[in-house]
Amino acid sequence: MTIKNNPSEIIRKDQQFVWHPYSSLTDPIPAYEVVSAEGVYLQLADGKRLIDGMSSWWCAIHGYNHPELNAAAKDQIDRMSHVMFGGITHAPAVSLCEKLVDITPQGLNKVFLSDSGSVSVEVAIKMAFQYWISQGQPEKNKLLSLKGGYHGDTFAAMSVTDPVNGMHHIFDQVLPQHYFAPKPEIGFNQEWNNTDIAEFKAILEANHQQIAAVILEPIVQGAGGMHFYSPEYLRQVRALCTQHNVLLIADEIATGFGRTGKLFACEWAGICPDIMCLGKSLTGGYMTLAATLCNDEVSRGICEGEAGCFMHGPTFMGNPLACSVANASIDLLLSQDWHANIDRIESVLQQHIQDFSDLDTVAETRVLGAIGVIEMKDPVNLAEIQRQFVEQGVWVRPFGKLIYVMPPFVITNAELETLMKRIYRVLSK
Ligand SMILES: *Cc1c(COP(=O)(O)O)cnc(C)c1O
């Protein structure tokens, strides 16, 4: 039985059968039916057209329905959609892995492809643990992460996500316990002071013999609070990890591919992690794919151990369709002056976000690269504010006190101005 073009029926059955992200099925917030998308626009079933301020959760950097990405998908689907990766290889995966090694910070030389961001975090954590087991130090089985962080929804990823946002208390009996350092307080452009990292340093100094790896989001803590912290913090984390023989995992799933104004946010601090996770915009938002990169020390260390190999291998590893679109997306990004483009978006965001600071309801605004954040004094009513945004013709999905935009990189100045003005209209009411 299929449902054909009956919007109200789709919404009704959606509420009857379908979970949405972080949603209730007993008290559902209505979802909006999208029938197509093009450039920066989402087309709703009821005829409304919305400017997308979210890039479908950081992913659709080139906008929707892009001819070059479409062509890559169509070309690949006529050859093969998928073939197993155990014992078999193919050009789309090999060329993607070579490209990722090429463009990520120097030293990350090996690539493990997987299905989604959370899985790439599981893979990164498993790499770190298996590395130390192989080195004869299985007691290094704890992780150190930062409060205010977000690393995904699977169990290992959840265990290093902010304990309050991740509601660790309700999962107390099932989550592994790790170390958390305070959220870095000093902002991206603020003057550095060593007190900001003092507690992180103390935890690492006291417990490094049990700690396999530090895991963090470089520069931008995304879903945990849209917070931009000082590059000096990241530089010192790198130095402390090296000093105490602890691996550093950089989760660039949200920040990778230009979003912050650098191709990878680690570049703001000029550092290279031992392990890096990529996802989200890897395929330009076309389909799910993620990658975990590591350096030669980690790959060699793992393979020297008892298992002789890394103990992981997803069914859809290296999916050719996803790899082909990822190749096309990265080529498209690098073929343009993407850096100047992000600067352009940043300056338009900066011009318009200042107006919001004058509203009584707004606590703070901040911009970095193609990310604009309006932090309210109080949490917003999601269903109500989303309805008002849709009425104004924009797609923005706040969480908690945070109203933020991270538009597709193809957004024009005029579209971005319209987006910001419409958000202002809702917030100033
Ligand atoms: C979104 C995100 C993840 C999880 O990725 P999924 O594809 O949703 O599993 C992990 N880490 C960061 C920093 C993210 O932004």
Tab-separated table of all heavy atoms in Angstrom, residues 22 155 158 162-177:
chain	number	residue	atom	x	y	z
A	22	TYR	N	14.805	12.569	17.917
A	22	TYR	CA	14.462	13.082	19.239
A	22	TYR	C	12.990	13.489	19.314
A	22	TYR	O	12.662	14.632	19.619
A	22	TYR	CB	15.380	14.271	19.594
A	22	TYR	CG	16.800	13.813	19.806
A	22	TYR	CD1	17.721	13.824	18.760
A	22	TYR	CD2	17.188	13.304	21.036
A	22	TYR	CE1	19.025	13.363	18.954
A	22	TYR	CE2	18.483	12.840	21.237
A	22	TYR	CZ	19.387	12.880	20.201
A	22	TYR	OH	20.664	12.422	20.400
A	155	PHE	N	26.145	3.917	21.316
A	155	PHE	CA	26.523	3.890	22.720
A	155	PHE	C	27.902	4.452	23.045
A	155	PHE	O	28.040	5.240	23.974
A	155	PHE	CB	26.320	2.495	23.324
A	155	PHE	CG	24.896	2.314	23.752
A	155	PHE	CD1	23.952	1.815	22.873
A	155	PHE	CD2	24.487	2.728	25.011
A	155	PHE	CE1	22.619	1.707	23.253
A	155	PHE	CE2	23.160	2.624	25.392
A	155	PHE	CZ	22.221	2.107	24.510
A	158	MET	N	27.652	8.132	22.449
A	158	MET	CA	26.833	8.762	23.484
A	158	MET	C	27.622	8.892	24.791
A	158	MET	O	27.465	9.867	25.534
A	158	MET	CB	25.567	7.923	23.691
A	158	MET	CG	24.559	8.550	24.617
A	158	MET	SD	22.925	7.777	24.539
A	158	MET	CE	23.245	6.081	24.917
A	162	ASP	N	28.081	15.181	25.882
A	162	ASP	CA	27.799	15.885	27.139
A	162	ASP	C	26.830	15.096	28.022
A	162	ASP	O	25.749	14.706	27.579
A	162	ASP	CB	27.197	17.260	26.838
A	162	ASP	CG	26.984	18.062	28.109
A	162	ASP	OD1	27.916	18.764	28.512
A	162	ASP	OD2	25.888	17.951	28.707
A	163	PRO	N	27.210	14.852	29.280
A	163	PRO	CA	26.382	13.999	30.151
A	163	PRO	C	24.988	14.571	30.420
A	163	PRO	O	24.050	13.809	30.628
A	163	PRO	CB	27.178	13.888	31.445
A	163	PRO	CG	28.414	14.682	31.285
A	163	PRO	CD	28.464	15.263	29.909
A	164	VAL	N	24.851	15.904	30.413
A	164	VAL	CA	23.536	16.502	30.671
A	164	VAL	C	22.675	16.436	29.407
A	164	VAL	O	21.572	15.892	29.413
A	164	VAL	CB	23.670	17.953	31.186
A	164	VAL	CG1	22.290	18.591	31.348
A	164	VAL	CG2	24.441	17.972	32.500
A	165	ASN	N	23.220	16.966	28.296
A	165	ASN	CA	22.477	16.895	27.028
A	165	ASN	C	22.163	15.454	26.641
A	165	ASN	O	21.128	15.169	26.051
A	165	ASN	CB	23.279	17.513	25.880
A	165	ASN	CG	23.451	18.998	26.045
A	165	ASN	OD1	22.641	19.656	26.676
A	165	ASN	ND2	24.525	19.534	25.493
A	166	GLY	N	23.105	14.549	26.932
A	166	GLY	CA	22.942	13.144	26.560
A	166	GLY	C	22.121	12.365	27.584
A	166	GLY	O	21.922	11.172	27.428
A	167	MET	N	21.647	13.064	28.628
A	167	MET	CA	20.852	12.431	29.683
A	167	MET	C	21.503	11.151	30.207
A	167	MET	O	20.862	10.093	30.278
A	167	MET	CB	19.439	12.114	29.165
A	167	MET	CG	18.592	13.336	28.944
A	167	MET	SD	16.872	12.948	29.353
A	167	MET	CE	16.287	14.542	29.853
A	168	HIS	N	22.785	11.250	30.539
A	168	HIS	CA	23.502	10.055	30.987
A	168	HIS	C	22.857	9.394	32.194
A	168	HIS	O	22.949	8.175	32.352
A	168	HIS	CB	24.960	10.402	31.311
A	168	HIS	CG	25.804	10.538	30.096
A	168	HIS	ND1	27.168	10.465	30.108
A	168	HIS	CD2	25.469	10.729	28.801
A	168	HIS	CE1	27.651	10.628	28.884
A	168	HIS	NE2	26.640	10.788	28.070
A	169	HIS	N	22.186	10.226	33.044
A	169	HIS	CA	21.622	9.622	34.264
A	169	HIS	C	20.571	8.565	33.932
A	169	HIS	O	20.472	7.569	34.637
A	169	HIS	CB	21.075	10.700	35.198
A	169	HIS	CG	19.936	11.482	34.619
A	169	HIS	ND1	20.120	12.530	33.748
A	169	HIS	CD2	18.603	11.346	34.751
A	169	HIS	CE1	18.938	13.015	33.390
A	169	HIS	NE2	18.008	12.314	33.983
A	170	ILE	N	19.838	8.749	32.834
A	170	ILE	CA	18.830	7.715	32.543
A	170	ILE	C	19.469	6.458	31.936
A	170	ILE	O	18.878	5.394	31.928
A	170	ILE	CB	17.650	8.215	31.664
A	170	ILE	CG1	18.096	8.580	30.256
A	170	ILE	CG2	16.912	9.363	32.307
A	170	ILE	CD1	16.921	8.771	29.304
A	171	PHE	N	20.707	6.602	31.439
A	171	PHE	CA	21.409	5.441	30.857
A	171	PHE	C	22.538	4.948	31.777
A	171	PHE	O	23.440	4.235	31.330
A	171	PHE	CB	21.995	5.811	29.487
A	171	PHE	CG	20.960	6.197	28.465
A	171	PHE	CD1	20.804	7.518	28.063
A	171	PHE	CD2	20.138	5.231	27.897
A	171	PHE	CE1	19.852	7.878	27.123
A	171	PHE	CE2	19.175	5.581	26.947
A	171	PHE	CZ	19.037	6.897	26.561
A	172	ASP	N	22.466	5.369	33.040
A	172	ASP	CA	23.521	5.095	33.998
A	172	ASP	C	23.992	3.642	34.001
A	172	ASP	O	25.175	3.358	34.093
A	172	ASP	CB	22.988	5.427	35.404
A	172	ASP	CG	23.961	6.313	36.130
A	172	ASP	OD1	24.885	6.808	35.467
A	172	ASP	OD2	23.790	6.491	37.351
A	173	GLN	N	23.030	2.755	33.901
A	173	GLN	CA	23.348	1.331	34.042
A	173	GLN	C	23.922	0.717	32.775
A	173	GLN	O	24.421	-0.398	32.797
A	173	GLN	CB	22.083	0.552	34.454
A	173	GLN	CG	21.471	1.017	35.762
A	173	GLN	CD	22.471	0.953	36.913
A	173	GLN	OE1	23.127	-0.052	37.131
A	173	GLN	NE2	22.608	2.062	37.631
A	174	VAL	N	23.823	1.427	31.662
A	174	VAL	CA	24.255	0.815	30.398
A	174	VAL	C	25.426	1.544	29.730
A	174	VAL	O	26.049	0.997	28.822
A	174	VAL	CB	23.087	0.717	29.394
A	174	VAL	CG1	22.143	-0.393	29.782
A	174	VAL	CG2	22.341	2.029	29.235
A	175	LEU	N	25.721	2.760	30.183
A	175	LEU	CA	26.790	3.518	29.515
A	175	LEU	C	28.138	3.280	30.186
A	175	LEU	O	28.237	3.333	31.410
A	175	LEU	CB	26.505	5.028	29.595
A	175	LEU	CG	25.643	5.662	28.519
A	175	LEU	CD1	25.671	7.183	28.713
A	175	LEU	CD2	26.115	5.314	27.122
A	176	PRO	N	29.192	3.069	29.379
A	176	PRO	CA	30.536	3.052	29.976
A	176	PRO	C	30.864	4.430	30.547
A	176	PRO	O	30.406	5.452	30.027
A	176	PRO	CB	31.452	2.711	28.793
A	176	PRO	CG	30.657	2.922	27.553
A	176	PRO	CD	29.206	2.863	27.933
A	177	GLN	N	31.617	4.480	31.644
A	177	GLN	CA	31.933	5.745	32.308
A	177	GLN	C	33.289	6.266	31.846
A	177	GLN	O	34.277	5.553	31.905
A	177	GLN	CB	31.968	5.538	33.832
A	177	GLN	CG	30.677	4.974	34.395
A	177	GLN	CD	29.501	5.926	34.227
A	177	GLN	OE1	29.601	7.099	34.588
A	177	GLN	NE2	28.405	5.445	33.651
